């Protein structure tokens, strides 16, 4: 009997991997964990996990269907070198691209394009509004990702209070969502979700248990769609007090939260496997006992077993 796999869909930045500015190392320097660089950008180290997290991630990738799930573009995702075997599936561009062995699935691309055309305002309209509403005094960069969504890189300290909320109200009426993550303000079409792509991967691999983790508002739909989920003690979701009955809120912040999330993934996956094995053994034992008892009873009655 083959046990259905457990699917683990996890956000990356500030959930599993951390830049130097997001490490949140509050302990004395001599007690800080050893770090492993998992991303280099412009010839410089950019993102890290702890060495302990690297071992845990290797275990997760070998024992589950591990699906990196990110708002990053495909190019940005491919810069990351995670420990463990290469994931068969990955979700990029907030669900806009479903990678299979590193290559974007064309059928999924077509489904996404159809939903965006039918359900929300165009990227061109939203991008034009972003540029017009932003102030050059605090706007550093304006970018479009994968021709699917737009984002601004801003000087956070100069960003006017209430500007993001006003943008979110404008975008909501046009079928778009807004998220502030670090120095980036994302404008993303509402139909473009990590959860939809996760469900598609679960369908393809036959997973019956889905686990997820994330720290930002763009991860909320992913956490809600999973059977069990976790969020760290930092990030947009923590700042807003967001929660759900099946989502565990961790005390850990920074890179320590990445370690703890991986421990929770492993614990839940192993519990599921143990439960399945126990059920299978119980069924086999019960069937064998029942057959033996039935045969003994039949023999006692002189009936062929």
């Amino acid at each position: 009997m083959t046990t259905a796999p457990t699917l683990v869909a996890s956000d990356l930045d500030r959930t599993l991997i951390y830049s130097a500015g997001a490490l949140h190392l509050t302990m004395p320097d001599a007690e800080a964990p050893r770090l492993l660089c998992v991303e280099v950008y412009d010839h410089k180290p950019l993102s890290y996990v702890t060495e302990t997290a690297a071992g845990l991630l290797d275990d997760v990738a070998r024992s589950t269907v591990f699906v990196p799930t990110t708002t990053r573009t495909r190019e940005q995702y491919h810069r990351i070198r995670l420990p463990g075997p290469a994931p068969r599936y990955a979700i990029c561009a907030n669900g806009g691209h479903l990678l299979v062995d590193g290559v974007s699935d064309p059928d999924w691309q077509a489904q996404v394009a159809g939903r965006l055309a039918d359900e929300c305002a165009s990227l061109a309209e939203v991008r034009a509004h972003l540029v017009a509403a932003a102030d050059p005094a605090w706007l550093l960069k304006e970018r479009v990702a994968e021709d699917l969504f737009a984002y601004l890189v801003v000087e956070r300290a100069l960003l006017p209070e209430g500007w993001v909320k006003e943008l979110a109200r404008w975008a909501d009426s046009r079928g778009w969502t807004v998220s502030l993550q670090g120095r980036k303000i994302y404008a993303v079409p509402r139909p473009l979700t990590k959860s939809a792509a996760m469900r598609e991967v679960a369908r393809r691999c036959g997973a019956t248990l889905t686990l997820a983790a994330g720290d930002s508002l763009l991860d909320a739909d992913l956490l809600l769609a999973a059977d069990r989920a976790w969020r760290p003690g930092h990030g947009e979701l923590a700042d807003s007090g967001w929660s759900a009955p099946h989502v565990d809120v961790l005390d850990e912040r920074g890179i320590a939260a990445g370690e703890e999330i991986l421990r929770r993934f492993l614990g839940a996956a192993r519990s599921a496997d143990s439960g399945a094995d126990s059920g299978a053994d119980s069924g086999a034992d019960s069937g064998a006992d029942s057959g033996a008892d039935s045969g003994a009873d039949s023999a006692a009655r002189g009936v062929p077993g």
Side-chain angles (χ1 to χ4, degrees), residues 35-126:
L35 302 177
L36 174 68
C37 178
V38 294
E39 180 186 15
V40 172
Y41 178 60
D42 197 21
H43 311 291
K44 299 175 184 176
L46 181 60
S47 299
Y48 304 86
V49 298
T50 67
E51 284 192 343
T52 299
L56 293 168
L57 184 53
D58 182 79
D59 288 345
V60 168
R62 293 181 189 280
S63 59
T64 72
V65 178
F66 172 60
V67 185
T69 305
T70 180
T71 304
R72 285 178 176 234
T73 64
R74 287 169 290 175
E75 180 182 357
Q76 292 167 337
Y77 167 71
H78 284 305
R79 291 200 306 252
I80 301 170
R81 293 291 180 266
L82 294 173
R88 172 79 195 281
Y89 298 101
I91 296 166
C92 293
N94 212 62
H97 286 280
L98 173 55
L99 306 190
V100 182
D101 295 326
V103 179
S104 187
D105 184 274
D107 291 337
W108 182 252
Q109 284 186 56
Q111 288 183 47
V112 169
R115 288 197 64 189
L116 298 187
D118 292 341
E119 299 177 28
C120 55
S122 70
L123 172 62
E125 178 185 348
V126 174

Side-chain angles (χ1 to χ4, degrees), residues 253-276:
R253 297 167 57 87
I255 202 165
E259 265 190 33
E260 184 60 23
I261 286 167
L262 289 165
R263 289 191 186 95
R264 300 295 182 98
F265 283 154
L266 273 177
R270 286 169 178 167
S271 294
D273 288 343
S274 296

Side-chain angles (χ1 to χ4, degrees), residues 132-152:
D135 188 332
W138 46 260
L139 177 62
L140 301 178
K141 298 176 185 176
E142 177 267 331
R143 294 286 186 271
V144 167
E146 302 272 20
D147 289 324
L148 291 169
F149 60 90
Y151 65 92
L152 307 178

Side-chain angles (χ1 to χ4, degrees), residues 11 17 38 49 52-54 58 83 87 92 138 149 176 178 183 190 193 199 208 235 241 253 283 292 301:
D11 176 51
I17 69 175
V38 294
V49 298
T52 299
D58 182 79
C92 293
W138 46 260
F149 60 90
W176 286 61
V178 171
R183 297 191 307 156
R190 192 175 294 119
T193 64
R199 290 190 185 99
T208 55
R253 297 167 57 87
R301 296 193 305 269

